[in-house]
Amino acid sequence: MTARRKPSTETPVFPKPGHNHARCASEALRKAEAVCTARKTRLTDIRRQVLELIWQSHVPVGAYEILSQLNAGGGRTAPIAVYRALEFLMDNGLVHRLASLNAYIGCAHMGDDHHAAQFLICRTCGTTAELESAPLKRALTHAVAERGFSIDSQIVEISGVCPHCRATA
Amino acid sequence: MTARRKPSTETPVFPKPGHNHARCASEALRKAEAVCTARKTRLTDIRRQVLELIWQSHVPVGAYEILSQLNAGGGRTAPIAVYRALEFLMDNGLVHRLASLNAYIGCAHMGDDHHAAQFLICRTCGTTAELESAPLKRALTHAVAERGFSIDSQIVEISGVCPHCRATA
DNA sequence: CGGTATAATGTTATGTTATAACATTTACAA
DNA sequence: TTGTAAATGTTATAACATAACATTATACCG
């Protein structure tokens, strides 16, 4: 441990219940546009709609939940369309899949080209945040390398209670 | 880091292709009996069968794969029976579920009462090993606590290439 | 031993998540 | 403008998991 930690960079704040979420969402959409432009991929209608629905909150959403919202106005979109959009969004680093929930969440670090992520999932409010911990990353890399194993991808999903729910309880 | 690492305790060997697996399996079954006796739970026929099928290898198996093996001789066991057996085995720490694969694997540390586990999954041969790394555990615990989050459960699943497949390639 | 409570299993049906295969449309560039 | 690749539509099905209720087995008590 070196000195005091710097919350702004080392310890991103867990999304607060009352924060200005409209801002998160619009910011995310703006970044997504930028990423797609840079990568020469197309953020089509359905892809944008799926991304917007995902960014309605910091709670992961299931594919079929997205689907039913898409079809709320009487649409006839098929499941596969949602999965294709999700695949695109994940390939472009805009969305993550949470294997422990079979659900999807907007990526908090778009454009940063991080294909590995760790997540904190609050079992009370559902809010899920990315955990960017350099020491954790190092420990993981080291432990794996030590065993002669080479990493392709990794899943780290931690379920528990977030600071806000702890305070409320 | 303190001194040189001790492979026998700190760095368990990744299961080798040609190892005496019959031994792994019988050992596992023996331990399972002991655990159930100690916990006054019953390792019934179907539960033992499922556990044996899981221990046929170090490659995780899906519930329906287990089911079809159970029914290979013309049986009529229903999916729910397999899931109930799996639930029992997991509750008793005899089996783990791999969320990234929707598959199940025998626990390498029965009786050690470890409810958290990390896994190394070889994408080439499928072999999966538990990773017991104290530094990793510490880093994880620390990173999470630092953010005011309290842990209930965690999933760490690392996909890559195992030492033996790397050597072969 | 017989009764009774609990645990385990059987039976049937259905819910939830995800993909295959092939047809059609759209966007873009030569 | 037309050829091509990307995207979407359409239909069907695969893969994973649980609900609800009936029946059977086990163990424990009097």
Side-chain angles (χ1 to χ4, degrees):
Chain A
M1 211 91 43
T2 61
R4 225 64 197 100
R5 61 183 195 251
K6 297 180 291 179
S8 56
T9 62
E10 291 278 7
T11 311
V13 176
F14 205 90
K16 285 179 187 155
H19 74 283
N20 181 354
H21 186 69
R23 196 170 188 174
C24 297
S26 62
E27 183 81 351
L29 267 289
R30 197 185 53 69
K31 279 192 185 176
E33 299 274 11
V35 168
C36 288
T37 301
R39 301 185 55 153
K40 298 195 202 305
T41 58
R42 295 166 48 212
L43 190 61
T44 61
D45 259 15
I46 193 169
R47 290 168 180 174
R48 170 184 282 100
Q49 285 175 56
V50 169
L51 187 58
E52 282 175 353
L53 289 171
I54 286 174
W55 273 103
Q56 279 179 337
S57 79
H58 293 278
V59 179
V61 290
Y64 279 76
E65 196 180 335
I66 291 168
L67 180 65
S68 65
Q69 291 201 57
L70 276 180
N71 287 339
R76 300 185 155 282
T77 302
I80 186 75
V82 172
Y83 283 102
R84 288 199 279 229
L86 288 170
E87 185 183 19
F88 170 87
L89 294 169
M90 288 190 289
D91 286 348
N92 286 273
L94 306 175
V95 158
H96 293 290
R97 178 172 194 273
L98 293 162
S100 60
L101 302 176
N102 295 329
Y104 304 83
I105 191 162
C107 174
H109 305 90
M110 292 183 204
D112 297 13
D113 191 39
H114 76 137
H115 277 281
Q118 295 90 40
F119 298 94
L120 299 178
I121 305 167
C122 179
R123 71 151 198 277
T124 300
C125 66
T127 297
T128 295
E130 288 192 36
L131 168 62
E132 279 290 335
S133 166
L136 173 54
K137 215 172 286 184
R138 273 197 301 274
L140 202 146
T141 303
H142 183 262
V144 172
E146 195 179 35
R147 286 157 181 80
F149 198 90
S150 70
I151 301 188
D152 283 346
S153 64
Q154 42 132 313
I155 291 175
V156 178
E157 297 175 20
I158 298 161
S159 178
V161 183
C162 77
H164 313 300
C165 288
R166 289 178 74 186
T168 304
Chain B
M1 211 89 44
T2 62
R4 226 62 197 100
R5 60 184 197 252
K6 297 181 291 181
S8 56
T9 62
E10 291 278 6
T11 311
V13 177
F14 205 91
K16 284 179 188 155
H19 74 284
N20 182 353
H21 186 68
R23 196 169 189 176
C24 296
S26 62
E27 183 80 350
L29 266 290
R30 198 186 53 69
K31 281 192 184 175
E33 299 275 11
V35 167
C36 288
T37 301
R39 302 184 54 153
K40 298 195 203 302
T41 56
R42 296 167 47 211
L43 190 61
T44 61
D45 259 15
I46 192 168
R47 289 167 180 173
R48 169 183 285 100
Q49 287 176 53
V50 169
L51 187 59
E52 282 175 354
L53 289 171
I54 286 174
W55 273 102
Q56 279 180 336
S57 79
H58 294 278
V59 179
V61 289
Y64 277 76
E65 197 179 333
I66 292 169
L67 181 64
S68 64
Q69 291 200 58
L70 276 181
N71 287 339
R76 303 188 152 280
T77 303
I80 186 76
V82 172
Y83 283 102
R84 288 199 279 228
L86 289 170
E87 186 184 19
F88 170 87
L89 295 169
M90 288 190 289
D91 286 349
N92 286 275
L94 306 176
V95 158
H96 292 291
R97 178 173 193 274
L98 293 163
S100 60
L101 302 176
N102 294 331
Y104 304 82
I105 191 162
C107 175
H109 305 90
M110 292 184 204
D112 298 13
D113 192 36
H114 76 137
H115 277 281
Q118 295 89 42
F119 298 94
L120 299 179
I121 306 167
C122 180
R123 73 152 196 276
T124 299
C125 66
T127 298
T128 296
E130 289 192 35
L131 169 63
E132 279 289 336
S133 166
L136 173 54
K137 216 173 284 183
R138 274 197 301 276
L140 201 147
T141 305
H142 183 263
V144 173
E146 195 179 37
R147 285 159 180 80
F149 197 90
S150 70
I151 301 189
D152 283 346
S153 63
Q154 41 130 317
I155 289 175
V156 178
E157 297 176 18
I158 297 161
S159 179
V161 183
C162 77
H164 313 299
C165 288
R166 288 177 75 184
T168 303

Short mmCIF file of all heavy atoms in Angstrom, two decimals, chain A residues 1-38:
data_model
loop_
_atom_site.label_atom_id
_atom_site.label_comp_id
_atom_site.label_asym_id
_atom_site.label_seq_id
_atom_site.Cartn_x
_atom_site.Cartn_y
_atom_site.Cartn_z
N MET A 1 0.84 -1.20 0.00
CA MET A 1 0.00 0.00 0.00
C MET A 1 0.88 1.25 0.00
O MET A 1 1.75 1.40 0.81
CB MET A 1 -0.86 0.01 1.25
CG MET A 1 -2.17 0.67 1.05
SD MET A 1 -3.41 -0.52 0.57
CE MET A 1 -3.05 -1.89 1.67
N THR A 2 0.62 2.15 -0.91
CA THR A 2 1.39 3.40 -0.96
C THR A 2 0.49 4.56 -0.59
O THR A 2 -0.54 4.79 -1.22
CB THR A 2 1.95 3.66 -2.37
OG1 THR A 2 0.86 3.78 -3.27
CG2 THR A 2 2.85 2.54 -2.81
N ALA A 3 0.89 5.29 0.41
CA ALA A 3 0.17 6.50 0.83
C ALA A 3 -1.34 6.24 0.99
O ALA A 3 -1.76 5.11 1.19
CB ALA A 3 0.40 7.62 -0.18
N ARG A 4 -2.10 7.29 0.88
CA ARG A 4 -3.56 7.19 0.97
C ARG A 4 -4.11 6.93 -0.43
O ARG A 4 -3.57 7.42 -1.41
CB ARG A 4 -4.13 8.52 1.52
CG ARG A 4 -5.17 8.30 2.58
CD ARG A 4 -4.59 7.61 3.83
NE ARG A 4 -5.67 7.04 4.65
CZ ARG A 4 -5.99 5.75 4.62
NH1 ARG A 4 -5.34 4.92 3.84
NH2 ARG A 4 -6.97 5.29 5.38
N ARG A 5 -5.19 6.21 -0.51
CA ARG A 5 -5.73 5.94 -1.85
C ARG A 5 -6.44 7.16 -2.43
O ARG A 5 -6.94 8.02 -1.69
CB ARG A 5 -6.68 4.74 -1.78
CG ARG A 5 -7.87 4.96 -0.89
CD ARG A 5 -8.69 3.68 -0.85
NE ARG A 5 -10.01 3.90 -0.30
CZ ARG A 5 -10.38 3.46 0.89
NH1 ARG A 5 -9.56 2.80 1.66
NH2 ARG A 5 -11.60 3.67 1.33
N LYS A 6 -6.46 7.18 -3.75
CA LYS A 6 -7.10 8.30 -4.44
C LYS A 6 -8.43 7.83 -5.05
O LYS A 6 -8.43 7.22 -6.11
CB LYS A 6 -6.19 8.83 -5.54
CG LYS A 6 -4.88 9.39 -5.01
CD LYS A 6 -4.02 9.91 -6.16
CE LYS A 6 -3.51 8.77 -7.01
NZ LYS A 6 -2.69 9.25 -8.16
N PRO A 7 -9.53 8.13 -4.38
CA PRO A 7 -10.82 7.62 -4.80
C PRO A 7 -11.13 7.91 -6.28
O PRO A 7 -11.75 7.10 -6.94
CB PRO A 7 -11.81 8.37 -3.90
CG PRO A 7 -11.01 8.73 -2.69
CD PRO A 7 -9.61 8.98 -3.20
N SER A 8 -10.71 9.03 -6.78
CA SER A 8 -11.10 9.41 -8.14
C SER A 8 -10.56 8.46 -9.20
O SER A 8 -11.23 8.17 -10.17
CB SER A 8 -10.66 10.82 -8.44
OG SER A 8 -9.26 10.94 -8.23
N THR A 9 -9.37 7.94 -8.99
CA THR A 9 -8.80 7.08 -10.02
C THR A 9 -8.71 5.62 -9.59
O THR A 9 -9.04 4.73 -10.35
CB THR A 9 -7.39 7.55 -10.41
OG1 THR A 9 -6.54 7.46 -9.27
CG2 THR A 9 -7.40 8.98 -10.90
N GLU A 10 -8.31 5.39 -8.37
CA GLU A 10 -8.11 4.02 -7.91
C GLU A 10 -9.41 3.34 -7.49
O GLU A 10 -9.57 2.16 -7.65
CB GLU A 10 -7.14 4.00 -6.70
CG GLU A 10 -5.71 4.36 -7.05
CD GLU A 10 -4.97 3.17 -7.61
OE1 GLU A 10 -5.61 2.14 -7.82
OE2 GLU A 10 -3.76 3.28 -7.83
N THR A 11 -10.30 4.12 -6.92
CA THR A 11 -11.51 3.55 -6.36
C THR A 11 -12.74 4.25 -6.90
O THR A 11 -13.30 5.13 -6.26
CB THR A 11 -11.48 3.68 -4.81
OG1 THR A 11 -10.24 3.20 -4.33
CG2 THR A 11 -12.61 2.89 -4.20
N PRO A 12 -13.16 3.86 -8.09
CA PRO A 12 -14.34 4.50 -8.66
C PRO A 12 -15.54 4.30 -7.75
O PRO A 12 -15.68 3.26 -7.11
CB PRO A 12 -14.55 3.75 -9.98
CG PRO A 12 -13.33 2.94 -10.20
CD PRO A 12 -12.67 2.76 -8.89
N VAL A 13 -16.36 5.30 -7.67
CA VAL A 13 -17.49 5.25 -6.76
C VAL A 13 -18.56 4.29 -7.28
O VAL A 13 -18.84 4.24 -8.47
CB VAL A 13 -18.10 6.66 -6.63
CG1 VAL A 13 -19.34 6.61 -5.76
CG2 VAL A 13 -17.07 7.62 -6.06
N PHE A 14 -19.12 3.53 -6.36
CA PHE A 14 -20.24 2.66 -6.72
C PHE A 14 -21.42 3.58 -7.06
O PHE A 14 -21.69 4.51 -6.32
CB PHE A 14 -20.56 1.76 -5.53
CG PHE A 14 -21.23 0.47 -5.90
CD1 PHE A 14 -20.46 -0.65 -6.18
CD2 PHE A 14 -22.60 0.40 -5.99
CE1 PHE A 14 -21.07 -1.84 -6.52
CE2 PHE A 14 -23.21 -0.80 -6.34
CZ PHE A 14 -22.45 -1.92 -6.61
N PRO A 15 -22.11 3.33 -8.15
CA PRO A 15 -23.20 4.23 -8.56
C PRO A 15 -24.18 4.46 -7.42
O PRO A 15 -24.71 3.52 -6.83
CB PRO A 15 -23.88 3.47 -9.70
CG PRO A 15 -22.91 2.46 -10.17
CD PRO A 15 -21.95 2.19 -9.06
N LYS A 16 -24.44 5.74 -7.11
CA LYS A 16 -25.34 6.05 -5.99
C LYS A 16 -26.80 6.00 -6.42
O LYS A 16 -27.11 6.32 -7.57
CB LYS A 16 -25.01 7.42 -5.42
CG LYS A 16 -23.74 7.43 -4.60
CD LYS A 16 -23.43 8.83 -4.06
CE LYS A 16 -22.08 8.84 -3.38
NZ LYS A 16 -21.46 10.18 -3.36
N PRO A 17 -27.66 5.66 -5.49
CA PRO A 17 -29.09 5.55 -5.81
C PRO A 17 -29.65 6.80 -6.50
O PRO A 17 -30.38 6.70 -7.47
CB PRO A 17 -29.73 5.37 -4.43
CG PRO A 17 -28.66 4.74 -3.60
CD PRO A 17 -27.36 5.29 -4.11
N GLY A 18 -29.30 7.98 -6.03
CA GLY A 18 -29.93 9.17 -6.57
C GLY A 18 -29.16 9.93 -7.63
O GLY A 18 -29.50 11.06 -7.94
N HIS A 19 -28.13 9.28 -8.18
CA HIS A 19 -27.29 10.04 -9.12
C HIS A 19 -28.02 10.40 -10.41
O HIS A 19 -29.04 9.82 -10.75
CB HIS A 19 -26.02 9.25 -9.43
CG HIS A 19 -26.24 8.08 -10.34
ND1 HIS A 19 -26.80 6.91 -9.93
CD2 HIS A 19 -25.97 7.92 -11.65
CE1 HIS A 19 -26.87 6.07 -10.95
NE2 HIS A 19 -26.38 6.66 -12.02
N ASN A 20 -27.46 11.35 -11.11
CA ASN A 20 -28.07 11.80 -12.36
C ASN A 20 -27.83 10.76 -13.45
O ASN A 20 -26.86 10.83 -14.20
CB ASN A 20 -27.45 13.15 -12.76
CG ASN A 20 -28.06 13.70 -14.04
OD1 ASN A 20 -28.86 13.03 -14.71
ND2 ASN A 20 -27.69 14.92 -14.38
N HIS A 21 -28.74 9.84 -13.55
CA HIS A 21 -28.47 8.72 -14.44
C HIS A 21 -28.65 9.07 -15.91
O HIS A 21 -28.00 8.49 -16.78
CB HIS A 21 -29.30 7.49 -14.09
CG HIS A 21 -28.92 6.32 -14.91
ND1 HIS A 21 -27.70 5.69 -14.77
CD2 HIS A 21 -29.53 5.69 -15.94
CE1 HIS A 21 -27.60 4.72 -15.65
NE2 HIS A 21 -28.69 4.71 -16.39
N ALA A 22 -29.51 10.03 -16.17
CA ALA A 22 -29.70 10.45 -17.57
C ALA A 22 -28.34 10.80 -18.17
O ALA A 22 -28.07 10.53 -19.34
CB ALA A 22 -30.63 11.65 -17.62
N ARG A 23 -27.53 11.37 -17.34
CA ARG A 23 -26.19 11.75 -17.78
C ARG A 23 -25.34 10.52 -18.13
O ARG A 23 -24.66 10.51 -19.15
CB ARG A 23 -25.52 12.53 -16.65
CG ARG A 23 -24.32 13.30 -17.10
CD ARG A 23 -23.88 14.24 -15.98
NE ARG A 23 -22.84 15.16 -16.38
CZ ARG A 23 -22.39 16.14 -15.62
NH1 ARG A 23 -22.93 16.33 -14.42
NH2 ARG A 23 -21.45 16.94 -16.04
N CYS A 24 -25.37 9.51 -17.26
CA CYS A 24 -24.65 8.26 -17.54
C CYS A 24 -25.06 7.74 -18.91
O CYS A 24 -24.22 7.38 -19.73
CB CYS A 24 -24.99 7.17 -16.52
SG CYS A 24 -24.53 7.51 -14.82
N ALA A 25 -26.36 7.70 -19.10
CA ALA A 25 -26.90 7.10 -20.32
C ALA A 25 -26.49 7.89 -21.55
O ALA A 25 -25.99 7.30 -22.53
CB ALA A 25 -28.42 6.99 -20.23
N SER A 26 -26.68 9.18 -21.52
CA SER A 26 -26.37 9.97 -22.72
C SER A 26 -24.87 9.96 -22.99
O SER A 26 -24.44 9.87 -24.14
CB SER A 26 -26.89 11.40 -22.58
OG SER A 26 -26.26 12.04 -21.49
N GLU A 27 -24.13 10.01 -21.93
CA GLU A 27 -22.67 9.92 -22.05
C GLU A 27 -22.27 8.60 -22.71
O GLU A 27 -21.44 8.56 -23.62
CB GLU A 27 -22.06 10.00 -20.64
CG GLU A 27 -20.55 9.99 -20.61
CD GLU A 27 -19.97 11.37 -20.91
OE1 GLU A 27 -20.75 12.27 -21.31
OE2 GLU A 27 -18.76 11.54 -20.76
N ALA A 28 -22.88 7.53 -22.26
CA ALA A 28 -22.58 6.21 -22.80
C ALA A 28 -22.91 6.14 -24.28
O ALA A 28 -22.11 5.62 -25.08
CB ALA A 28 -23.37 5.15 -22.03
N LEU A 29 -24.04 6.66 -24.64
CA LEU A 29 -24.44 6.63 -26.05
C LEU A 29 -23.48 7.45 -26.90
O LEU A 29 -23.09 7.04 -28.00
CB LEU A 29 -25.87 7.16 -26.22
CG LEU A 29 -26.98 6.12 -26.20
CD1 LEU A 29 -26.95 5.28 -27.48
CD2 LEU A 29 -26.91 5.22 -25.00
N ARG A 30 -23.09 8.58 -26.37
CA ARG A 30 -22.16 9.43 -27.09
C ARG A 30 -20.83 8.69 -27.33
O ARG A 30 -20.32 8.65 -28.44
CB ARG A 30 -21.90 10.70 -26.27
CG ARG A 30 -21.28 11.86 -27.04
CD ARG A 30 -20.96 13.03 -26.12
NE ARG A 30 -20.13 12.64 -24.97
CZ ARG A 30 -18.86 12.26 -25.04
NH1 ARG A 30 -18.26 12.17 -26.21
NH2 ARG A 30 -18.19 11.94 -23.95
N LYS A 31 -20.33 8.07 -26.28
CA LYS A 31 -19.07 7.32 -26.40
C LYS A 31 -19.22 6.17 -27.38
O LYS A 31 -18.31 5.88 -28.15
CB LYS A 31 -18.64 6.77 -25.04
CG LYS A 31 -17.94 7.79 -24.16
CD LYS A 31 -17.29 7.08 -22.96
CE LYS A 31 -16.69 8.07 -21.97
NZ LYS A 31 -16.16 7.39 -20.77
N ALA A 32 -20.37 5.53 -27.34
CA ALA A 32 -20.60 4.39 -28.23
C ALA A 32 -20.52 4.83 -29.68
O ALA A 32 -19.90 4.17 -30.52
CB ALA A 32 -21.95 3.75 -27.93
N GLU A 33 -21.12 5.96 -29.96
CA GLU A 33 -21.05 6.52 -31.32
C GLU A 33 -19.59 6.69 -31.72
O GLU A 33 -19.16 6.30 -32.81
CB GLU A 33 -21.72 7.91 -31.35
CG GLU A 33 -23.18 7.93 -30.99
CD GLU A 33 -24.07 7.65 -32.19
OE1 GLU A 33 -23.55 7.23 -33.25
OE2 GLU A 33 -25.30 7.84 -32.06
N ALA A 34 -18.84 7.29 -30.81
CA ALA A 34 -17.43 7.58 -31.08
C ALA A 34 -16.67 6.29 -31.36
O ALA A 34 -15.89 6.19 -32.31
CB ALA A 34 -16.81 8.33 -29.91
N VAL A 35 -16.91 5.29 -30.52
CA VAL A 35 -16.21 4.00 -30.70
C VAL A 35 -16.54 3.40 -32.05
O VAL A 35 -15.66 2.95 -32.78
CB VAL A 35 -16.60 3.01 -29.57
CG1 VAL A 35 -16.14 1.61 -29.90
CG2 VAL A 35 -16.01 3.48 -28.24
N CYS A 36 -17.80 3.42 -32.41
CA CYS A 36 -18.22 2.82 -33.69
C CYS A 36 -17.62 3.59 -34.87
O CYS A 36 -17.19 2.99 -35.85
CB CYS A 36 -19.73 2.76 -33.78
SG CYS A 36 -20.44 1.52 -32.68
N THR A 37 -17.62 4.88 -34.75
CA THR A 37 -17.01 5.68 -35.80
C THR A 37 -15.54 5.32 -35.96
O THR A 37 -15.06 5.03 -37.06
CB THR A 37 -17.13 7.18 -35.49
OG1 THR A 37 -18.51 7.52 -35.36
CG2 THR A 37 -16.50 8.02 -36.60
N ALA A 38 -14.87 5.29 -34.83
CA ALA A 38 -13.43 4.99 -34.85
C ALA A 38 -13.17 3.60 -35.42
O ALA A 38 -12.19 3.40 -36.14
CB ALA A 38 -12.87 5.10 -33.43
#
